[in-house]
Amino acid sequence: MQISKSNWKQYAKGQETIRLKAAELLKAWIVKNGIEDREAFIAYAASLVDRYGEAAAAYACQMYDEIAEAENADVLPAEPAEVASISEVAEAVNGALKTSVAGLLAVRAVERLVKQAGADTMLQNAARDSAEFAWIPDGGACPFCLGIGAEGWKLASFRVASGQHADHIHASCNCEFAVRFNKGSNV
């Protein structure tokens, strides 16, 4: 047995909603406060990554557990991945501000860091449980995501990530990592 396509689409849409809310709040902060006070800007961005990254990780745990239950996998409940640290947020924001003085790329960087928390959660739990993972492109996926998605299912391991983070996560992307415990299951 497997989860339904509608459940998967609902999950992907939920993750998108979480990311977009963080992005919307950061855009509003920029309009109100500007980006001149870099320390305050980074602190606010980090608070958004914490709050919405934790939400993305919790939602990924919920989906992971739903998939495990549907496939009758005998695994521990999913554990949320850590969200990006303040130094990771500062690095992403400062890097984005070098090329986007208006702060729009910083908004995308925060969106990416929120997405990363959900992706990390899926991959870290899959590696823990020796499950397989696949990158599932959405209907409007970029060529890069389509290429990654074409690689299909792979055994998860901690080598899949760069450090503790999932590779190839970018902003404005509705693609997600899926997991399976039984080789015959698909999302």
Side-chain angles (χ1 to χ4, degrees):
M1 190 164 174
Q2 61 191 33
I3 64 164
S4 69
K5 286 187 182 196
S6 66
N7 282 6
W8 180 257
K9 286 181 181 182
Q10 180 181 352
Y11 169 71
K13 183 65 175 167
Q15 287 289 13
E16 176 188 28
T17 300
I18 293 167
R19 291 190 311 274
L20 292 179
K21 183 63 178 178
E24 173 188 317
L25 289 171
L26 190 56
K27 284 178 194 174
W29 196 91
I30 291 170
V31 168
K32 181 179 180 185
N33 302 296
I35 59 172
E36 290 74 30
D37 184 346
R38 184 75 58 98
E39 190 173 311
F41 183 60
I42 289 171
Y44 185 69
S47 73
L48 292 174
V49 170
D50 276 346
R51 180 176 183 183
Y52 291 93
E54 286 176 1
Y59 196 39
C61 284
Q62 182 181 343
M63 177 51 74
Y64 187 92
D65 291 342
E66 185 178 327
I67 294 168
E69 183 179 342
E71 294 186 25
N72 295 314
D74 185 22
V75 296
L76 294 172
E79 296 178 13
E82 289 186 29
V83 298
S85 68
I86 184 89
S87 62
E88 290 172 312
V89 174
E91 181 181 351
V93 167
N94 285 326
L97 291 175
K98 286 180 183 177
T99 58
S100 171
V101 294
L104 295 178
L105 289 181
V107 171
R108 294 186 74 192
V110 165
E111 183 184 344
R112 179 184 56 79
L113 292 172
V114 169
K115 179 181 181 70
Q116 181 175 287
D120 289 351
T121 296
M122 282 291 200
L123 285 180
Q124 289 172 16
N125 283 286
R128 176 197 72 186
D129 297 332
S130 298
E132 292 184 320
F133 76 94
W135 185 244
I136 308 298
D138 81 330
C142 69
F144 182 75
C145 284
L146 290 172
I148 299 290
E151 294 176 7
W153 293 97
K154 298 178 184 177
L155 183 61
S157 73
F158 290 103
R159 292 188 317 262
V160 171
S162 294
Q164 288 298 313
H165 298 302
D167 281 339
H168 61 264
I169 301 300
H170 57 271
S172 303
C173 172
N174 294 324
C175 307
E176 295 290 341
F177 279 109
V179 297
R180 71 178 183 184
F181 301 91
N182 303 317
K183 291 190 187 289
S185 298
N186 289 308
V187 172

